[in-house]
Amino acid sequence: MGFLNALFTAALDNNLVFAQLIGMVSVVLVAGRPQESFRFGAMIAAATAVSGALGWLLYTYLMQPWGVAYLAPLVYVLVSWTVIVLAATALGSGKSVAERERLLRACPIIACNAAVLAVSLGNAVAAEPLTWDVALGTALGAGLGVFLAVVLFAFVRDAIDERLVPAALRGLPITLVTASLMALAFTGVAGIAGGLFA
């Protein structure tokens, strides 16, 4: 039950993007067309989840015993960057040169997103000792929450008809208004998902 509670709490109640407002700007930049949002969202989610799981192992078995627990956010950033570079390399193998270049151009943006999100995971681990199942649920839930944020924002952004938006709000202003309304919706349901498995 601890795993499921941590998973849904991290994905919905404490969503890194909408509830905690971490990495909102980077998600706005990444969430372009809905077709691309699945791939980019999955890469960010995988990097966030893997950095959360590996970072917890490094924190618990390496950094705490050595007394360098204050370096947890830095370790999470390094792990997330490594995961993104390895994922882009693996996805680019066997593809055309143009496809590999496009993946490698997107790699720094996605790695920055994952690094920004990994800092909060590192701070959460440093603040509170977790068991493995709760840490794994939190890491996977954080990744799922980021994926939801990227995909939902891309679909909502795509559905906005710019012709119906007043001229003063077109472009970035309507994007920020949309992001704030989605963040308000996520904070409005905070506390519901975590209580399902308590």
Side-chain angles (χ1 to χ4, degrees):
M1 284 303 193
F3 172 79
L4 290 175
N5 189 23
L7 178 78
F8 284 104
T9 299
L12 300 173
D13 290 347
N14 294 331
N15 188 297
L16 288 175
V17 178
F18 290 130
Q20 297 183 19
L21 302 176
I22 298 171
M24 178 64 81
V25 173
S26 56
V27 168
V28 167
L29 292 175
V30 169
R33 295 182 309 180
Q35 298 83 3
E36 293 178 352
S37 68
F38 284 103
R39 180 173 51 228
F40 290 141
M43 288 178 71
I44 295 172
T48 305
V50 171
S51 69
L54 289 178
W56 182 84
L57 290 172
L58 290 171
Y59 178 81
T60 303
Y61 296 111
L62 187 67
M63 293 164 50
Q64 262 187 339
W66 286 3
V68 290
Y70 57 88
L71 292 176
L74 179 64
V75 168
Y76 275 74
V77 167
L78 293 175
V79 169
S80 67
W81 269 85
T82 305
V83 168
I84 282 293
V85 169
L86 291 176
T89 305
L91 288 174
S93 64
K95 304 263 174 135
S96 67
V97 175
E99 184 70 22
R100 278 196 307 254
E101 286 179 0
R102 196 167 71 88
L103 274 172
L104 291 177
R105 271 194 309 252
C107 187
I109 295 171
I110 296 170
C112 286
N113 291 337
V116 165
L117 298 168
V119 170
S120 62
L121 287 174
N123 289 336
V125 168
E128 154 185 356
L130 304 171
T131 60
W132 168 244
D133 59 337
V134 174
L136 184 62
T138 302
L140 291 174
L144 178 64
V146 171
F147 177 76
L148 281 174
V150 170
V151 171
L152 287 175
F153 191 73
F155 274 96
V156 168
R157 192 175 181 185
D158 189 56
I160 294 175
D161 190 359
E162 288 284 331
R163 293 172 295 166
L164 300 177
V165 177
L169 289 177
R170 289 189 184 147
L172 183 63
I174 195 66
T175 301
L176 295 176
V177 168
T178 305
S180 64
L181 290 175
M182 290 182 75
L184 186 65
F186 265 80
T187 55
V189 297
I192 295 174
L196 292 175
F197 301 100

